[in-house]
Amino acid sequence: MKKALISALFWGNLLAILYFWWQGSSEFVLSQNISQLLVALGRVTGLLAEYFILVELILISRIPFIEREYGFDVLNKYHRWFGYFLGIFILSHPILLTYGYSSLLGLSLKHQFLGFFQSNDIVQAVMGLAIFIFVIIASLPFIRRKLKYESWHIMHLFMYVAIALVLSHQLEATTATHGGGLLYWIILNFTIFGAFGFWRFLKPLLTFNKHRFFIEKVVKENDNVVSIYISGRNMEKFKFESGQFLNVLFLNKGFLQPHPFSFSAPYNGKEIRISAKNVGDYTARLESLSIGTKVIIEGPLGRFTEKASKHNKYLLIAGGIGITPIRSLVESLTGKNKDTILIYGARTPEDAVFKTELEKINANVKYVFSNYEGVDHEKGYIDENKIKNLAPDFKERDIYICGPTQMMDSIIKTLKHLGVKSSRIHYEKFSF
């Protein structure tokens, strides 16, 4: 029902925008003049570009009922694909208008294009367009994979500058933003900007004001993994579900960028725990964080939780530091006496984070070590044979997977090949 409502809002607003565009451009479309048609198409691509900007903001706004309905992974995928469409509209808008108006006015393409710059709002819009194109190109998979999270995050912050630059141009347009169209456009923009500003910026600050989060202690789990315990006021009121994650901003020099971390322990009403593996400059410095450091939290987020399941039997598959949300989830399920099997892949027993904790909660764990010989575990990697041997009834279980992206993709492909329904496979990749 909620997805139907969200879909209706998306398509309803799109049709409204096309209606107002048609009111101002129908004569050009029906004139059978190719130059006027190009102008009309240039106008609609501009409107669609702005609309897709607003949609992109909604997708990253962390609005609870949308986030819970789709989950981080799906919203992230939509955000990426809408971004590519946005790039097409942004590029098409000036190209179509330049060709259309140059033909109508009898000007060269160069003179027509330069003529646009006589208006301040268009100068600002072109600056915004340049930023959009830069970030969209940087978001292409083969480029994005080479970027650090911190670099990617900073680049996306410039998108807010670009949005501000193009907004005045949209409001200056005369084809769909006058009369009723202007009122509608203003309401739509301010509603979405308001929702985005509240959930992404104001809500975390309000949450911090309520709980005053701070680092209670920092614990090294092994040579590569550190756990951070966060406490504060009224912690019993900061509730979350096992398997969820949060975005964390440590108010400490060198850490002033939010990063996503899974809850690595279930809710206890006293403190929260996040755990991270040393995979770069940022995570390598986590153990140096001082006790008492203030923490701003956005969340809880994600639907990698028990609620996503439709059955009472579970297979949890973790690889490496992917154990963090699984660790929280397995304790909750085991505590409820749910039929749960955990297949945990790591290089060696020393790399198996929380091994002692899993034993204490009597978790049904099947270890798979890729670089260690022994008699109480499987040797190698988690694959089709390991799944069949360690969880023969896997088709009867809801399957939760977390680990490196390559591992997750391989296991998901294997499970589907084995006939597991997509509705039984749960994962969130947390990729940027």
Side-chain angles (χ1 to χ4, degrees), residues 37 61 65 120 143 188 199 275-276 307 361 371 386 389:
L37 178 60
S61 288
F65 83 93
N120 287 333
I143 297 177
L188 181 64
W199 290 107
S275 304
K307 287 183 179 178
I361 62 173
N371 196 27
K386 299 292 191 305
N389 292 336

Side-chain angles (χ1 to χ4, degrees), residues 265-286:
Y267 167 82
N268 61 18
K270 298 177 182 178
E271 62 191 7
I272 59 180
R273 185 180 73 177
I274 58 175
S275 304
K277 182 179 180 180
N278 178 359
V279 293
D281 294 341
Y282 180 88
T283 48
R285 292 183 283 110
L286 287 176

Side-chain angles (χ1 to χ4, degrees), residues 106 143 183 313 327 329 399:
I143 297 177
L183 178 61
K313 297 177 69 176
R327 160 66 185 86
L329 194 55
I399 305 175

Side-chain angles (χ1 to χ4, degrees), residues 288-301:
S288 68
L289 282 166
S290 303
I291 306 302
T293 297
K294 300 297 183 183
V295 185
I296 294 179
I297 288 175
E298 180 187 30
L301 303 165

Side-chain angles (χ1 to χ4, degrees), residues 6 39 191 247 294:
I6 295 168
V39 171
T191 298
N247 287 321
K294 300 297 183 183

Side-chain angles (χ1 to χ4, degrees), residues 19 119 142 146 152 157 173 229 240 285 287 321 358 379:
Y19 168 75
S119 175
F142 68 94
K146 298 179 181 180
W152 173 88
L157 291 179
Y229 291 75
F240 59 90
R285 292 183 283 110
E287 63 180 279
I321 197 58
L358 292 171
K379 177 73 166 27

Side-chain angles (χ1 to χ4, degrees), residues 18 25 66 164 220 239 283 349 394-395:
L18 293 176
S25 300
I66 296 178
K220 286 196 68 173
K239 296 184 178 180
T283 48
F394 63 92
K395 289 186 180 181

